[in-house]
Amino acid sequence: MIDLNNTFKKKVLGVTLAITAIAFVLSTGSKVLAQTADASSETVAEVEADTPVAIGDAIAEEILLTGTNESAPASNGHGLNRVIKGTEKWGEEHNINPLKFVQNIGKSTGIYQMMNQKKVAPKAEFKEPVKEALEKDWGTAPGWQSLIMIAVGFLIVYLAVGKGFEPLLLIPIGFGTILVNIVGANMGELPDGMLAIIYHAGVGNEFFPMLIFMGIGAMTDFGPLIANPKTAILGGAAQFGVFFTLFGVAVMNLFGLNYNIMQACAIGIIGGADGPTSIYVSGKLAPELMGVIAVAAYSYMALVPMIQPPIMKLLTSKKERLIKMPNPRAVPRMEKVLFPLMLLILTILLLPPAAPLIGMLAFGNFVKESGAATRLSKTMENELMNIVSIVLSLGVGSQMTPEKIIKGESVGIIVLGLVAFAVATAGGLLMAKLMNVFLPKDKKINPLIGSAGVSAVPMAARVANKVGQAEDPSNFLLMNAMGPNVAGVIGTAMAAGVFIATYGGLR
């Protein structure tokens, strides 16, 4: 006999523990991810106590003028009061504040800005030279470590050719890694290095990512998502990995690494398994980490067939993996034509910071579905997409140098990216299982398609189909998995817009 009272008590206890854990993480993260005024003042007090009077007076004067002590080492303090390097001048506006987060999102909507802001015509010429984004000083590395990176490059090429792991991405990334690490070739150094020119021309800014999104739009069929809108929930659930990583970054900081909240947002986007979006967000929030973030994002995109299946089998039963789903209905052409327009209008009104990514996606998809400019759509999804993919992947590989990769901070980014990707996969799977609790028996969802909620299109959908067919060769899940897969693309772009809207003005 089931003890309902005991079961209820267990549920209450579980909810209480969950709330306590969330409160602990929020209180910890607010101190670990951002520099607070209290931490700054404590650091100043420590420095003054150990400093001769004359020097102390000079430091005191500096504090009065700038509000911080640039002379003090950034690592002063311990635990939660440690000052994160590069955040010495930060104040309370950089702390994690849930209420302020929601307010900033509200103020970033297109509706709010249309009602409260005045549009100023752009200047005909720049009064000041455009400042380039500062890159992180990674220091130097021994020459012999280049041999390690060259070996890594050959390993990447082997995985692409020998194991068939996304050769379109991994072959150019692998060769970029090999070429940039050839000592004496200087292919990764400006002004003449080919790989350096490629990186600074389009990878280190939003140019190549925008072109990639345009090509993705021209290649994508939103029909499965339109036919089965509830699969959009799976794409949204997969974004849990993106936001979960923010707390993972807080934990990393407790172990002595130095990540601020904007870097945490850029790292978190890796969980969406979307290379172009990762590059775009890091360019806006953490350009100093763009190279490592791009490498991690594209590596995990390519390794989807290795990373996802174990998680899928761990979180689903054989009975669940055998669930068969009917193919989605045929979507009329008019619905496909209107979908990118409606998506773009909603983005303009609600989340303008995501408009560059969503806009290019909608542009490419509308050109394809309208059928009015077939030559343009074919160029976007074939020649242009192929060319940009080659140079973008070579540019990503050019960042695989030992002084950037063989570092604690870089290893932390790679680990956090893997955690984000794993949690995103699990989020989609668990959401599908939760939806099945409420769906009728004949409308059940195969949880495997939830793993396709990450935005690695169409790799994640193919993996879901492959795992399903391993259980039952007659079970075809590809078209059903494409629904959450394309929803994941939109979801990751929206998450990027949220981060940029909230923290983009703090740099």
Side-chain angles (χ1 to χ4, degrees):
M1 183 175 178
I2 299 174
D3 186 354
L4 295 177
N5 189 43
N6 188 42
T7 302
F8 177 74
K9 289 180 179 178
K10 289 182 178 179
K11 289 183 177 180
V12 171
L13 178 61
V15 172
T16 303
L17 291 174
I19 294 173
T20 303
I22 292 171
F24 170 77
V25 171
L26 285 174
S27 62
T28 301
S30 65
K31 293 184 179 181
V32 175
L33 288 176
Q35 168 59 43
T36 65
D38 292 340
S40 297
S41 61
E42 290 177 11
T43 301
V44 169
E46 292 175 5
V47 174
E48 287 181 341
D50 298 329
T51 306
V53 176
I55 301 178
D57 292 341
I59 293 176
E61 183 179 355
E62 176 186 350
I63 295 169
L64 289 173
L65 292 175
T66 65
T68 187
N69 174 23
E70 297 181 353
S71 308
S75 59
N76 277 359
H78 302 282
L80 299 182
N81 291 324
R82 179 174 57 87
V83 181
I84 296 176
K85 183 179 180 181
T87 67
E88 294 85 358
K89 296 183 179 180
W90 285 16
E92 293 293 335
E93 71 276 7
H94 291 81
N95 286 0
I96 298 177
N97 185 323
L99 179 60
K100 186 176 180 181
F101 181 88
V102 174
Q103 291 174 343
N104 286 344
I105 292 297
K107 292 180 180 179
S108 68
T109 62
I111 298 174
Y112 179 90
Q113 295 187 45
M114 290 175 189
M115 297 293 293
N116 294 278
Q117 294 186 11
K118 295 181 179 180
K119 182 67 176 177
V120 179
K123 302 296 182 182
E125 59 182 3
F126 292 107
K127 292 185 178 180
E128 297 180 0
V130 179
K131 296 181 179 179
E132 295 184 0
L134 296 177
E135 292 189 2
K136 181 178 178 62
D137 182 9
W138 293 99
T140 59
W144 59 268
Q145 290 186 355
S146 295
L147 295 176
I148 297 177
M149 298 310 301
I150 290 175
V152 170
F154 279 113
L155 175 61
I156 293 173
V157 173
Y158 168 73
L159 291 175
V161 179
K163 298 295 184 179
F165 292 154
E166 295 305 321
L168 295 179
L169 285 175
L170 287 192
I171 289 178
I173 288 177
F175 267 89
T177 303
I178 295 168
L179 295 174
V180 78
N181 285 288
I182 299 176
V183 179
N186 299 326
M187 294 190 69
E189 297 181 8
L190 290 173
D192 301 320
M194 170 191 168
L195 296 177
I197 293 172
I198 289 175
Y199 178 79
H200 288 277
V203 182
N205 51 49
E206 62 184 60
F207 182 49
F208 288 170
M210 293 296 99
L211 293 180
I212 289 289
F213 255 76
M214 183 172 65
I216 291 174
M219 296 172 64
T220 300
D221 180 9
F222 285 105
L225 176 61
I226 300 171
N228 195 0
K230 64 177 176 286
T231 57
I233 299 174
L234 302 178
Q239 306 314 310
F240 178 71
V242 173
F243 294 93
F244 177 84
T245 308
L246 294 180
F247 303 116
V249 173
V251 174
M252 285 286 188
N253 279 351
L254 289 176
F255 288 95
L257 296 179
N258 292 314
Y259 301 119
N260 58 51
I261 183 61
M262 292 177 289
Q263 293 171 341
C265 292
I267 295 169
I269 289 293
I270 298 174
D274 191 334
T277 306
S278 298
I279 293 173
Y280 182 78
V281 174
S282 60
K284 296 288 186 182
L285 300 180
E288 67 278 3
L289 298 181
M290 182 185 294
V292 181
I293 288 174
V295 168
Y298 273 94
S299 297
Y300 292 136
M301 279 180 63
L303 296 177
V304 164
M306 284 184 65
I307 298 172
Q308 284 199 318
I311 302 173
M312 297 161 73
K313 292 178 181 178
L314 177 65
L315 297 179
T316 58
S317 65
K318 183 177 180 66
K319 181 180 178 180
E320 289 174 326
R321 294 194 292 272
L322 288 172
I323 295 177
K324 289 190 175 182
M325 300 176 65
N327 284 329
R329 67 177 176 86
V331 178
R333 178 168 170 267
M334 182 57 66
E335 291 184 36
K336 291 186 176 183
V337 171
L338 292 177
F339 181 81
L341 297 179
M342 295 303 297
L343 178 63
L344 180 58
I345 290 172
L346 289 174
T347 305
I348 292 171
L349 294 177
L350 301 179
L351 198 59
L357 295 172
I358 297 296
M360 296 304 289
L361 182 74
F363 169 53
N365 189 252
F366 180 79
V367 172
K368 171 194 174 183
E369 299 297 351
S370 67
T374 306
R375 287 173 54 189
L376 295 183
S377 65
K378 287 184 177 179
T379 299
M380 291 178 189
E381 63 179 305
N382 292 301
E383 292 86 357
L384 182 60
M385 187 70 167
N386 291 336
I387 292 171
V388 177
S389 295
I390 290 171
V391 292
L392 179 62
S393 299
L394 281 172
V396 169
S398 73
Q399 300 303 298
M400 295 277 283
T401 53
E403 70 276 3
K404 293 181 179 179
I405 300 300
I406 309 179
K407 288 277 188 181
E409 292 178 2
S410 298
V411 173
I413 290 173
I414 293 171
V415 171
L416 287 168
L418 179 59
V419 171
F421 185 61
V423 173
T425 301
L429 291 167
L430 295 176
M431 178 56 70
K433 291 164 71 78
L434 178 62
M435 291 173 65
N436 280 342
V437 174
F438 303 98
L439 291 174
K441 188 175 181 179
D442 59 337
K443 300 289 185 180
K444 299 292 184 183
I445 296 174
N446 190 314
L448 293 177
I449 71 170
S451 66
V454 298
S455 58
V457 179
M459 290 176 281
R462 290 205 301 256
V463 170
N465 182 66
K466 184 177 179 180
V467 174
Q469 287 193 314
E471 301 290 344
D472 180 2
S474 65
N475 192 5
F476 296 96
L477 297 172
L478 182 61
M479 293 309 297
N480 288 290
M482 283 302 297
N485 206 186
V486 296
V489 177
I490 298 172
T492 303
M494 291 298 183
V498 169
F499 287 152
I500 294 171
T502 308
Y503 299 111
L506 297 181
R507 289 197 64 83

